[in-house]
């Protein structure tokens, strides 16, 4: 089985999980995708020096060290993290950014504290509207722009974790040690790593990583007028067989995953005849809020030929994946059924 990551850029490190390693419900920390705008801290951040500051539109600003955070009530939750640009390279029309196939997604069980508990202790003022997170990673390139992103206070209060554990281990250095934000069910960009400062604000943070990227916009449209990328789009992926695999006639087990961010995946259908007919897949494994669901479909391939396998997820809000994704300049949110089709040969 292929174990190594597919590296797209070394500096900053951007690498995707090989498809074979997306076949487990938990994505191992060793193969969890890497997405970085800046330089990953070269040595683990020292826990003796690190503190988390919470300031801005609050009655009582807080400064907490690592021990104080670890002594707060603990939450353990599953969450599927996906980069906004995942599957970008599968779009028919090229979009700029890292050429992800389907491996810019992974599922982990995270341990940490609810951001709500910290915010409650600090007491947001009536003007509090957005919560900004600042990472400790050093910007690369001349621009020296720090990775700072903000999310609405409602999301921060309802379902945002500050995680210090990933799949039972301390949060790995690459994934944000000692602490990262996880806006559950929202794309990776809303999940700032190496957090050291949280600022409650009257309005969304303004800056490069809020206004120039992570927005859905068209050619000729100013990026900052596009919608901010927040929710993960309902999607499904086929992890077995692989693209262009040669199979023999008979019983073929098709495996995959489906995820809907904040919404629950209710149904996955499979087509082996280019979308003419659809059959339900069977769910396998755990079913947790904000986490993907794995599924399988047993295909009786009795005739040799060329096939395109397709999967289609439906969620509890009645949403279904589109036949084809809506294109945008940065290629975000590609959840098209056709784009995710997997061609195979049966002999
Ligand atoms: N500090 C910081 N946080 C960050 C980033 C970053 O470059 N710096 N990248 C974001 C993006 S775009 C994604 S998709 C996720 C990726 O998290 P991972 O590398 O742990 O998979 O982290 C997010 N948090
Ligand atoms: Mo991302």
């Amino acid at each position: 089985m292929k174990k190594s990551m597919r590296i797209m850029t070394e500096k900053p490190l951007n690498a995707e999980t090989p498809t074979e390693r997306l076949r487990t419900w938990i994505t191992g920390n060793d193969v969890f995708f890497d997405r970085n705008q800046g330089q990953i801290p070269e040595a683990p951040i020292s826990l003796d020096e690190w503190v988390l500051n919470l300031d801005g539109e609050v009655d009582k600003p807080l400064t907490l060290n690592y021990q104080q955070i670890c002594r707060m009530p603990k939450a353990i939750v599953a969450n599927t993290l996906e980069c906004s640009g995942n599957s970008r390279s599968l779009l028919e029309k090229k979009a700029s950014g890292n050429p992800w196939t389907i491996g810019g997604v992974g599922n982990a069980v995270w341990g940490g504290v609810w951001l709500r508990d910290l915010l409650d202790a600090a007491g947001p003022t009536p003007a509090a509207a957005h919560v900004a997170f600042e990472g400790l990673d050093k910007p690369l390139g001349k621009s020296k722009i720090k990775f700072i992103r903000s999310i609405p206070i409602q999301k921060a209060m309802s379902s945002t974790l500050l995680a210090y554990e990933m799949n039972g281990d301390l949060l790995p250095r690459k994934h944000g040690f000692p602490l990262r934000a996880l806006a559950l069910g929202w794309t990776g960009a809303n999940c700032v790593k190496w957090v050291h400062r949280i600022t409650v604000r009257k309005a969304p943070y303004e800056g490069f990583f809020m206004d120039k990227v992570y927005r859905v916009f068209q050619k000729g449209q100013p990026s900052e007028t596009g919608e901010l990328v927040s929710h993960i789009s309902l999607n499904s992926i086929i992890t077995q067989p692989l693209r262009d695999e040669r199979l023999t006639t008979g019983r073929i087990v098709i495996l995959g995953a489906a995820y809907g961010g904040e919404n629950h995946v209710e149904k996955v259908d499979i087509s082996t005849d280019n979308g003419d007919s659809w059959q339900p897949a069977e769910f396998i494994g755990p079913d947790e809020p904000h986490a993907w669901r794995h599924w399988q479909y047993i295909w009786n391939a009795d005739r040799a030929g060329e096939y395109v396998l397709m999967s289609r997820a439906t969620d509890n809000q009645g949403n279904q994946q589109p036949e084809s994704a809506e294109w945008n300049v940065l290629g975000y949110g590609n959840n098209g059924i056709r784009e995710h089709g997997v061609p195979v040969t049966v002999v």
Side-chain angles (χ1 to χ4, degrees):
M1 185 189 279
K2 192 168 178 234
K3 286 210 172 69
S4 56
M5 305 287 285
R6 182 179 151 254
I7 295 174
M8 297 176 291
T9 62
E10 299 259 8
K11 208 172 177 185
L13 179 63
N14 288 305
E16 74 172 344
T17 307
T19 302
E20 294 93 322
R21 301 297 303 271
L22 298 171
R23 291 177 191 160
T24 50
W25 189 73
I26 297 269
T27 314
N29 292 357
D30 57 329
V31 288
F32 205 94
F33 77 92
D34 301 297
R35 172 69 184 108
N36 296 288
Q37 294 281 4
Q39 178 62 46
I40 297 172
E42 270 146 36
I45 289 166
S46 159
L47 293 181
D48 296 336
E49 286 157 36
W50 179 88
V51 287
L52 176 69
N53 283 302
L54 199 170
D55 58 14
E57 286 295 320
V58 292
D59 295 333
K60 190 170 151 270
L62 304 177
T63 300
L64 297 168
N65 64 27
Y66 189 71
Q67 273 204 350
Q68 289 171 310
I69 288 174
C70 292
R71 284 188 190 139
M72 289 177 61
K74 183 174 180 179
I76 298 181
V77 296
N79 183 56
T80 295
L81 191 68
E82 185 185 39
C83 183
S84 321
N86 192 28
S87 300
R88 173 188 285 130
S89 78
L90 305 178
L91 290 166
E92 217 166 286
K93 186 172 157 200
K94 202 177 144 38
S96 43
N98 286 306
W100 300 100
T101 65
I102 60 169
V105 65
N107 185 57
V109 172
W110 312 86
V113 295
W114 292 113
L115 175 54
R116 176 200 315 131
D117 289 347
L118 274 72
L119 289 171
D120 279 344
T125 70
H130 254 241
V131 179
F133 304 86
E134 183 176 317
L136 272 173
D137 44 334
K138 294 230 166 53
L140 284 171
K142 286 193 206 104
S143 53
K144 298 275 173 277
I145 302 165
K146 282 192 185 161
F147 196 82
I148 305 176
R149 297 257 317 152
S150 72
I151 60 172
I153 185 113
Q154 293 80 3
K155 182 64 184 168
M157 290 296 280
S158 68
S159 46
T160 297
L161 192 76
L162 296 173
Y164 51 77
E165 281 175 7
M166 181 177 184
N167 292 328
D169 284 331
L170 279 186
L171 190 63
R173 182 167 51 91
K174 288 196 299 180
H175 297 296
F177 178 87
L179 195 71
R180 82 173 299 166
L182 287 171
L184 304 183
W186 284 26
T187 64
N190 299 290
C191 303
V192 176
K193 302 187 273 188
W194 310 288
V195 176
H196 72 121
R197 185 168 178 212
I198 299 176
T199 305
V200 181
R201 300 173 47 87
K202 289 186 179 139
Y205 181 76
E206 287 177 28
F208 182 85
F209 293 112
M210 288 297 285
D211 301 323
K212 294 293 170 209
V213 290
Y214 308 122
R215 297 237 182 204
V216 173
F217 59 95
Q218 299 300 322
K219 279 221 167 86
Q221 181 191 354
S223 58
E224 58 275 18
T225 64
E227 201 189 327
L228 271 165
V229 174
S230 56
H231 303 82
I232 287 177
S233 320
L234 175 66
N235 198 13
S236 62
I237 54 174
I238 293 171
T239 57
Q240 176 183 293
L242 298 175
R243 293 181 81 77
D244 303 320
E245 209 172 309
R246 278 173 82 81
L247 307 159
T248 47
T249 51
R251 227 169 84 107
I252 293 167
V253 178
I254 303 176
L255 295 178
Y259 44 92
E262 290 182 329
N263 298 331
H264 184 246
V265 174
E266 301 274 277
K267 194 156 83 87
V268 173
D269 296 300
I270 305 303
S271 175
T272 57
D273 57 6
N274 205 32
D276 286 344
S277 67
W278 294 89
Q279 313 296 328
E282 175 201 349
F283 286 114
I284 46 176
D287 179 12
E288 290 283 329
H290 307 114
W292 62 16
R293 296 185 76 181
H294 277 204
W295 52 262
Q296 67 180 335
Y297 177 76
I298 317 289
W299 176 31
N300 289 307
D302 42 23
R303 271 185 295 125
E306 306 282 325
Y307 295 87
V308 178
L309 310 178
M310 295 192 284
S311 62
R312 179 181 73 186
T314 306
D315 72 17
N316 61 337
Q317 304 295 306
N319 301 306
Q320 196 167 76
Q321 278 179 255
E323 175 100 4
S324 223
E326 270 176 49
W327 190 87
N328 56 88
V329 171
L330 297 176
Y332 293 136
N334 175 11
N335 64 344
I337 295 169
R338 298 222 160 251
E339 287 84 345
H340 286 82
V342 169
V344 293
T345 306
V346 178
V347 293

